[in-house]
Amino acid sequence: MLIILFIISSFYYVFFYSVISDPLKMVFKLIPMLLILFIAIFSKANQVQSYKLFVLIALIFCAIGDYTIQWFIIGLISFLIGHLFYIRAFFSTNEQKVPSIAKTLLIIYGIVMAGIILSAVIQAGNFVMAIAVFCYITVILTMGWTSFRTKSKLAIIGACLFIISDSVLAINKFVVPVEYSHQLIMSTYYCAQIFIALSIDKYSALFSKGVQ
């Protein structure tokens, strides 16, 4: 039932954003995140309580970021803290080898995105923002990197979608307007969060089978 409510509420916010009155936009933005939090809370976490705890804390900071992103630096810091807790959650799993192809792609992607976004920010003369964006890019790519430790496809897909969502947001904000940016950013963002939340139960099942 929670997942169905999440699908309905996120679909409405993503694709019917223009018909939502301004005072209610933030409410409808946060409803899917609250539902994801409940989904995470009710997920089974047999012997992986630390993983569940860190994911929950990450989700809370991301929800705070959803609200505070209207003051961009504050929202950026909130999301950065959320990513740090995701990294901590992924590190709480038994260490698994990160595939070389994943390492290579993440490094190349990070270099390209940093070059595009940072050059635009620096050209605008905002050096403080450039430092903040560089730190954020580093942290979110580390989050994507560590997601491969879990051997959970849900966690890996969620982390990669989060990187895509924030990349579109950054390009749209600092480089060039992206057509249908709202739909692209929020659909990948909500999918990222729900996949990571659902990975709690998946990781618990893997642990119980002795895979982890």
Side-chain angles (χ1 to χ4, degrees), residues 52-64:
K52 178 177 180 177
L53 175 63
F54 291 129
V55 168
L56 282 171
I57 297 173
L59 286 169
I60 291 171
F61 273 102
C62 287
I64 294 172

Side-chain angles (χ1 to χ4, degrees), residues 13-194:
Y13 180 76
V14 170
F15 296 103
F16 293 90
Y17 179 81
S18 60
V19 302
I20 303 174
S21 61
D22 289 339
L24 293 177
K25 277 183 167 60
M26 188 58 66
V27 174
F28 280 96
K29 182 180 184 181
L30 290 173
I31 287 175
M33 281 302 295
L34 291 175
L35 291 168
I36 293 172
L37 272 168
F38 283 119
I39 290 169
I41 289 170
F42 293 121
S43 295
K44 295 178 182 178
N46 299 330
Q47 302 182 51
V48 292
Q49 291 296 331
S50 60
Y51 181 83
K52 178 177 180 177
L53 175 63
F54 291 129
V55 168
L56 282 171
I57 297 173
L59 286 169
I60 291 171
F61 273 102
C62 287
I64 294 172
D66 283 329
Y67 179 76
T68 58
I69 199 65
Q70 54 194 311
W71 307 286
F72 189 75
I73 287 291
I74 298 175
L76 195 71
I77 293 172
S78 297
F79 278 113
L80 187 146
I81 295 172
H83 290 313
L84 290 175
F85 277 103
Y86 275 140
I87 292 170
R88 184 64 185 86
F90 299 150
F91 263 112
S92 72
T93 66
N94 292 331
E95 184 174 354
Q96 304 292 334
K97 186 177 180 180
V98 178
S100 297
I101 184 65
K103 295 178 183 179
T104 303
L105 289 175
L106 284 170
I107 291 172
I108 293 173
Y109 189 83
I111 292 172
V112 172
M113 290 304 299
I116 294 172
I117 297 168
L118 290 178
S119 61
V121 176
I122 292 172
Q123 286 178 9
N126 196 337
F127 296 101
V128 174
M129 181 66 74
I131 294 172
V133 170
F134 176 78
C135 292
Y136 189 84
I137 291 173
T138 302
V139 170
I140 194 171
L141 288 175
T142 302
M143 187 270 292
W145 184 299
T146 55
S147 70
F148 285 88
R149 294 167 52 93
T150 65
K151 276 194 175 178
S152 167
K153 292 180 181 179
L154 292 174
I156 294 169
I157 293 172
C160 292
L161 284 173
F162 217 138
I163 292 172
I164 293 171
S165 177
D166 282 352
S167 297
V168 176
L169 187 152
I171 291 172
N172 185 67
K173 182 174 180 63
F174 298 117
V175 183
V176 62
V178 177
E179 192 172 4
Y180 302 113
S181 58
H182 171 76
Q183 289 81 2
L184 289 171
I185 293 166
M186 294 310 301
S187 60
T188 50
Y189 171 71
Y190 285 141
C191 286
Q193 297 286 30
I194 189 65

